Amino acid sequence: MIYLLKFGASFVLPPGIFFVCFWLLSFYLWRRREVRAAVALFLVTGIFYLMSTQLVSSMLMGSLERSYEQPAAPAGDVIVMLGGGATADTPNMGELGNVCAAPASRLLAAAELYSRLHVPVLVSGGQVYEDSGPEAVIARRELMRLGVPEADILLEPDSLNTRQNAVFSGRIMKERGLARPVLVTSAFHMERSVLNFEKEGFQVTAYPTDYRTNRRQVFHYNKLMPSSAALDDSVIVLREKLRYLVTRYLE
């Protein structure tokens, strides 16, 4: 009963309610003999509905996250952690600023890798917007709280996107004679990140983290209910694929 209530509620709240309205509109157009418009609206709405289901978004996200496997025994002379968003003025144990969910997972992975490899951690990420936080600066503070010595943390605080992550981090690594980076970022972000670092002449060891979907998928009818979270995952996959193509062929 609980699952049925959740399923029904998903079509009363956004985005489900919009799909219902558009399907009703397509039925209305069909009744008015505007067949082409009705079919087009029905199909487009159907595509957006499918992209908003966990069934489809998990398949899309899973295919992207499997681009690189997490190595059992990574090796390198520097750990490069890419930022992914931070707040500027939210409270954090007496200080201000927090890393967002995705970079928090990356940060934990970087700290764990440091405990195993004992090589410098290079944190890359600037203040992307006026009201966002300085990603690298906040991440350094959190790494220190997790036991990484300040002397072993390198900052790249100027990059605003993945391309700049690679370019600016590459300069720091070349200046310090570091050539074998272990790259830490979200699994969905790894394919494009590796490409950017390869363009800067680095063969990285990919260490994906922040997985958004299970490897093993089990069908349940609730995976057919629309949600903004599932739509967001589908859009992330499409965005990553588009940016990958732009990076490979246009940059």
Side-chain angles (χ1 to χ4, degrees), residues 70-91:
Q70 193 177 88
D77 56 9
V78 62
I79 300 162
V80 179
M81 188 205 105
L82 305 187
T87 58
D89 57 2
T90 52

Side-chain angles (χ1 to χ4, degrees), residues 192-214:
R192 181 162 60 95
S193 300
V194 169
L195 176 61
N196 276 284
F197 276 84
E198 287 177 345
K199 281 180 169 284
E200 295 307 305
F202 292 95
Q203 293 298 316
V204 306
T205 296
Y207 196 87
T209 187
D210 181 41
Y211 290 89
R212 297 173 71 95
T213 187
N214 289 320

Side-chain angles (χ1 to χ4, degrees), residues 78 80-83 106 122-126 156-175 178 181 183-185 189-204 247 251:
V78 62
V80 179
M81 188 205 105
L82 305 187
R106 303 173 191 180
L122 196 167
V123 186
S124 177
E156 184 288 288
D158 300 316
S159 57
L160 304 180
N161 57 28
T162 305
R163 184 78 193 114
Q164 291 183 0
N165 285 147
V167 173
F168 299 163
S169 296
R171 291 174 186 170
I172 294 174
M173 287 189 285
K174 290 173 183 176
E175 289 171 358
L178 302 170
L183 183 61
V184 179
T185 190
H189 186 231
M190 185 59 76
E191 184 179 42
R192 181 162 60 95
S193 300
V194 169
L195 176 61
N196 276 284
F197 276 84
E198 287 177 345
K199 281 180 169 284
E200 295 307 305
F202 292 95
Q203 293 298 316
V204 306
T247 300
E251 291 184 344

Side-chain angles (χ1 to χ4, degrees), residues 15-136:
I17 187 64
F18 298 121
F19 301 138
V20 172
C21 291
F22 285 129
W23 277 324
L24 290 175
L25 179 58
S26 68
F27 178 71
Y28 172 76
L29 292 173
W30 180 275
R31 293 290 301 270
R32 288 177 55 88
R33 309 289 185 181
E34 299 181 36
V35 177
R36 290 185 178 179
V39 171
L41 180 59
F42 182 85
L43 292 177
V44 170
T45 303
I47 291 171
F48 275 97
Y49 161 70
L50 290 174
M51 291 177 61
S52 300
T53 64
Q54 188 181 351
L55 180 68
V56 171
S57 69
S58 293
M59 289 190 293
L60 293 173
M61 182 60 71
S63 67
L64 186 58
E65 290 186 332
R66 287 190 292 272
S67 298
Y68 288 88
E69 295 293 332
Q70 193 177 88
D77 56 9
V78 62
I79 300 162
V80 179
M81 188 205 105
L82 305 187
T87 58
D89 57 2
T90 52
N92 185 344
M93 299 181 67
E95 300 187 68
L96 294 178
N98 288 269
V99 293
C100 296
S105 295
R106 303 173 191 180
L107 188 146
L108 290 173
E112 182 179 347
L113 282 171
Y114 176 82
S115 69
R116 295 165 61 182
L117 303 179
H118 297 288
V119 297
V121 180
L122 196 167
V123 186
S124 177
Q127 183 172 348
V128 180
Y129 303 106
E130 184 178 350
D131 60 348
S132 61
E135 297 173 9

